[in-house]
Amino acid sequence: MTTRAKLTVYSALATTLAALCMFPLLTTRSWLTHAVLVIAVIAAVGAGLRRSPLFRWTVPVAQLLVLLLLMLIGFAGSGMTGGVLPGPNAMRVLSRVFSSGIDDITQYAIPAPPTAGLRLILVSSVGLIAVLVDTVAVTYRRSALAGLPLLALYSIGNGLAGDHGSWVWFGLAAAGYLMLLFAEGQDRVSRWGRVFRGGARGTVGSSRVSPGGQQVGVLALALAMLLPVFLPRWDLGLLDSGSGGSSGKGTSGSVTTSLDPLVSLEAAVTKPTDTELLSYTLDSDLADQIYLRTGSLDQFDGTNWKLSSPVVSDLPATLPSPEGLRSTDVPRIQGDFQVSDRLEKSWLPMPYPAASVQLPNRGDWKLDPLTRTVVPTNDKAIRGLHYQVTSLDLRPTAGELRAAPLAPQDIRDHYTALPADLPPVVAEQAKAVTAKAQNDYDRATALVNWFTGPQFKYDTNVAGGTGSDAIAVFLRDHRGFCVHFASTMAAMARVLKIPSRVAVGFTPGDSKGGDVYSVTGRMYHAWPELYFSGYGWMRFEPTPSRGVPAHYQEASSAPTTAPTQQPTAAASSAAAVPAPTSSSDCTAKQRQLGDCGARNKAADKADEQSWPLSSQVLGALTAVLVVIALLLAPMLWRTALRRRRLGGGGRRRPGGDGPLELTDAQVLAAWDELIDSAWDLGIPPDESRTPRSAARRITEKAALDADAAAAAGRLALATERVLYAPAGQVTTAALAADVRTARHGLWAGAGRLDRARALLLPPSSAQLWWRTSDAVRAARTAVGTRVGRAVEAVTGPVRRVFTRRERSTPQD
């Protein structure tokens, strides 16, 4: 491997190791695979361009253009032509994704959800650092200066990670930088050795970095990692990794929860579990129909639904009056909640609308006044929590909601806002479904009945997402899960000028006996909330076979506790309720939720997903095996070559019992093995030397002991006899044993790093590439010759006929 190739590999490795410090920034790690691929492509582009006769400054420019193309392919696919060629809207799409990432930075704390914008920012930042490191260390041969961009990458990543950071990331980043410095130092010392010849190992003439330099680097790294353990800690850094929000007794602060509820909900819904997350009691006759709402998302920007409130306040003992509720003279529901240790990173589950909440440590929680969402100031606040909630027991009838007046203008402006690029199919379908409805309640009911009809299927195997594109796909395919149904109905309601938002939380728990209910991982859910003046936000259930229809969606004569007196009327229609099953294993609650047989289906699905020979697993396994094979190819080729060279035992004279005679090819193979063994351990061949001079050079540079030096000398003499002595000279020495003796001496005097490199990435394996290139060149020449002969065979007779005619034609 050439020096530039080594520096290219070590530069890419150093950038990758430094980028690992960004592991804690997102809740998932898949973005790092994208980043590593970008680093590899940038390194390959630089390696290829540096072999061309272009100016050096063109290399980083080309790498930046390639980085931009990779970002367009990865994050602006909808604006690309054919998926790989930038289209007219590609930069606009990429800019929109980047802007959403900037907004996400202000919304989420660490670890943040893996939104497209945040992944774009991380991957592109790592790519820029890769370009800088490759330019400084490889293109301009200033590896020491490459530590500056690597330090910037580590400092920013570790500073943002805060308490989520680890000393492991520092160790890996520093090790990558040291390897880069060692590679450049080895190159500098080897180039000095071509001018200044030395004799002793470790002198200036050596082609290896001085072992003392490596020891100093490793010792410095060890001290940097161990010394802080014995020193006191000072919290005087420039970056404050506080919990965010209001610190202490302030009234407001930034929303700092690291939870993206829809991202977390999609992961939970598509991989349901029977693990109990919390249990609760409610003193209500409708306890088995009450949803536990963790929060709602009121802003839709075309990419996703999110919480728009810029500030949170300290959590008061009594919550403010619910938005839109005209009367507070409403019965109360008392609830007692116990969260298990399995629930983490969640907003506080409560029946809506909550009037008050009692928590053991109120300082761990903040309130978003706009959506009445109680958010934690740290990721562990919800774990094992025991709390009590008092909620309002709102029971409006369908007739009361149908007669509700128009919402205030400020409510309509905020909760009917839609992105300009919303697909036209959303408005077209919403108007078609509700064409016969006369009021907002009937329009909402029509949407619910349409979604719960036979044309839509509940399917968790489809791709997630709540953006404009995902809604368009959902309306086209009619397949999805609760996130798709809730986000699409909310968007269609906004088209109809009905204030709406997306709520997240849990469906009612299963009864454990008495008044106790249990919520498991199968009850994660999302649903739309629609605004009705005088009553506030009312939930609707559009997801088929999931959840429980609200009581005001059913024909009921139950008394009302609504704040205003309106004539009672039956609902125009009822939401579809799954038919009961005769299975004795189904409880009444499971029949209500449509979950009968769901466990068997889930088990079958789990079996399908765990099948080890799926196409995805096979593809990943094949890719891993190919990479491993490519990495091991030099070592395997070198091992096979050594065995072939030393495997020949020679031949005996006819009728004789004397020593074995070696052929000239066997002697030269033994000599080639000694030269390649020295090359693998840092002593490159010098073809200008005679065998005897080359053996003396190897002995001096590797400081061979007496036995190994004598063996190398015998190999050199045997080689010179083959090359220069008259024909007929016979070699009878046991050269295979001499090669092993000399090779053992070379390995005994080499450092661990040199031995590892000689084993895994032997430099002499470059001959494999040379031989492959020669074979390809020879094959091309042979094919060209045969094609030329074939062409000559076809065109020759015709050409000769025309030549004879020209000669026989008389000239004027």
Side-chain angles (χ1 to χ4, degrees), residues 433 445-458 474 478-479 485 541-545 574-577:
V433 171
T445 303
L447 290 176
V448 169
N449 292 335
W450 182 62
F451 281 118
T452 56
Q455 67 269 36
F456 280 91
K457 301 297 182 183
Y458 184 87
F474 172 67
H478 292 179
R479 304 183 75 88
F485 286 93
E541 184 52 81
T543 306
S545 75
V577 178

Side-chain angles (χ1 to χ4, degrees), residues 15 58 242 265 279 299 337 340 397 486 493 523 553 630 706 721 736 758 798:
T15 305
T58 62
L265 187 109
S279 61
Q299 182 179 4
F337 295 82
S340 73
T397 65
M523 298 172 186
Q553 290 180 241
L630 292 175
R721 184 178 295 112
V798 179

Side-chain angles (χ1 to χ4, degrees), residues 514-538:
D515 296 332
V516 181
Y517 293 85
S518 173
V519 173
T520 67
R522 295 185 179 276
M523 298 172 186
Y524 280 101
H525 197 51
W527 61 92
E529 290 181 332
L530 275 58
Y531 182 90
F532 291 87
S533 292
Y535 309 93
W537 293 98
M538 299 286 104

Side-chain angles (χ1 to χ4, degrees), residues 522-683:
R522 295 185 179 276
M523 298 172 186
Y524 280 101
H525 197 51
W527 61 92
E529 290 181 332
L530 275 58
Y531 182 90
F532 291 87
S533 292
Y535 309 93
W537 293 98
M538 299 286 104
R539 74 167 177 87
F540 287 81
E541 184 52 81
T543 306
S545 75
R546 289 297 181 273
V548 181
H551 64 275
Y552 42 81
Q553 290 180 241
E554 302 173 342
S556 173
S557 58
T560 177
T561 57
T564 58
Q565 299 297 325
Q566 299 287 351
T568 301
S572 60
S573 61
V577 178
T581 176
S582 59
S583 172
S584 60
D585 295 334
C586 287
T587 64
K589 179 63 181 299
Q590 288 174 328
R591 289 195 296 269
Q592 188 180 34
L593 295 178
D595 281 343
C596 291
R599 296 180 184 272
N600 294 333
K601 294 178 181 179
D604 294 340
K605 181 180 176 182
D607 291 339
E608 293 178 4
Q609 293 179 344
S610 63
W611 176 243
L613 296 181
S614 66
S615 58
Q616 183 177 3
V617 173
L618 282 177
L621 182 60
T622 301
V624 170
L625 291 177
V626 170
V627 171
I628 293 176
L630 292 175
L631 293 175
L632 296 181
M635 179 182 68
L636 297 176
W637 177 83
R638 185 71 182 84
T639 302
L641 180 63
R642 181 169 57 254
R643 290 178 178 177
R644 187 171 67 252
R645 285 171 172 174
L646 303 182
R651 62 186 179 186
R652 298 187 185 275
R653 295 181 181 180
D657 295 330
L660 295 176
E661 295 179 359
L662 300 180
T663 64
D664 292 350
Q666 289 173 327
V667 174
L668 295 179
W671 174 251
D672 289 340
E673 179 58 33
L674 175 63
I675 294 299
D676 288 350
S677 297
W679 187 4
D680 292 341
L681 292 169
I683 306 176

